[in-house]
Amino acid sequence: GAGVSQSPSNKVTEKGKDVELRCDPISGHTALYWYRQSLGQGLEFLIYFQGNSAPDKSGLPSDRFSAERTGGSVSTLTIQRTQQEDSAVYLCASSPIGPQKLFFGSGTQLSVL
Amino acid sequence: KQEVTQIPAALSVPEGENLVLNCSFTDSAIYNLQWFRQDPGKGLTSLLLIQSSQREQTSGRLNASLDKSSGRSTLYIAASQPGDSATYLCAVSTATGNQFYFGTGTSLTVIP
């Protein structure tokens, strides 16, 4: 595609429900990052995928968060048993390889009621 | 852990003025530094990327400098326009390249 695509753009869920957020990176980009942006806060690193290497999961805030990347392309971020503090904008970014110019999607606004 | 600070948090200037945004970081062992622009409700757009071995990068009216030893970068915007109004963020990547550390941004308003 022309850019990084994220879906859904908005998600409202009830506390305790599971949610899945999708990221479709730019074709051919081997590096994929997930970040979280809370109101008035900076971007918080969640997870990094590089090619077929084991992902860097050091930023995941709890074991309720998990992510996978299938076939080196599409990535899904799953949050189980959502809590109100999970409400934020979840941003995905890709780059051709490693820490080079990042291309961001428009994000998913998650609201947990 | 790398800490990135941006000053000022907000800035309002009249159209046509030249301005400087500041970014500082605590660990000089970086791979590169990137400046982004974020418009309300949107994702981030990369403006300039400076590798650790470089001193500056230019794109149009934008010029970014990097002084790795002192842990500082500046983004210079010449002849500001209302369309430049946005939040500007800087980010540094770790030497291992696994993640970028972001500042909290400078919210810029250019008044017509």
Side-chain angles (χ1 to χ4, degrees):
Chain A
V4 178
S5 177
Q6 291 188 246
S7 61
S9 55
N10 281 282
K11 177 71 176 179
V12 180
T13 190
E14 294 179 351
K15 178 182 173 181
K17 300 282 190 182
D18 298 351
V19 296
E20 283 190 354
L21 312 180
R22 176 187 169 106
C23 173
D24 201 340
I26 293 173
S27 178
H29 281 195
T30 62
L32 188 148
Y33 301 79
W34 282 98
Y35 280 86
R36 177 167 73 174
Q37 186 174 34
S38 303
L39 195 62
Q41 304 292 315
L43 272 74
E44 176 188 4
F45 168 74
L46 297 177
I47 190 168
Y48 166 65
F49 296 90
Q50 173 57 56
N52 295 321
S53 301
D56 178 352
K57 304 180 182 180
S58 61
L60 294 178
S62 77
D63 59 7
R64 296 186 296 104
F65 288 72
S66 63
E68 64 177 20
R69 188 178 184 190
T70 55
S73 181
V74 173
S75 177
T76 302
L77 177 69
T78 301
I79 309 174
Q80 297 178 311
R81 304 181 303 281
T82 52
Q83 304 294 312
Q84 288 184 331
E85 60 263 29
D86 299 334
S87 296
V89 176
Y90 289 81
L91 292 165
C92 172
S94 70
S95 74
I97 181 168
Q100 296 302 328
K101 181 176 178 179
L102 291 182
F103 295 81
F104 276 85
S106 296
T108 294
Q109 172 73 63
L110 175 66
S111 299
V112 182
L113 304 180
Chain B
K1 180 188 170 184
Q2 178 76 268
E3 306 247 343
V4 182
T5 303
Q6 292 187 245
I7 295 173
L11 182 63
S12 183
V13 300
E15 181 177 2
E17 193 163 295
N18 302 326
L19 58 102
V20 174
L21 307 181
N22 297 291
C23 173
S24 61
F25 46 95
T26 55
D27 186 349
S28 62
I30 65 170
Y31 189 79
N32 57 37
L33 181 145
Q34 200 159 167
W35 281 94
F36 294 87
R37 168 189 174 131
Q38 185 174 31
D39 293 283
K42 306 286 187 183
L44 283 68
T45 300
S46 179
L47 298 172
L48 289 165
L49 171 70
I50 310 177
Q51 302 294 349
S52 62
S53 59
Q54 297 176 320
R55 296 285 295 189
E56 66 177 335
Q57 282 288 330
T58 298
S59 176
R61 294 183 293 109
L62 306 180
N63 175 276
S65 67
L66 173 64
D67 184 343
K68 199 173 72 162
S69 61
S70 67
R72 295 179 187 276
S73 176
T74 61
L75 178 66
Y76 175 83
I77 302 177
S80 58
Q81 302 171 358
D84 295 331
S85 298
T87 297
Y88 292 80
L89 298 100
C90 71
V92 295
S93 67
T94 60
T96 57
N98 282 11
Q99 62 172 287
F100 287 82
Y101 291 90
F102 283 80
T104 51
T106 294
S107 177
L108 173 66
T109 302
V110 180
I111 304 166

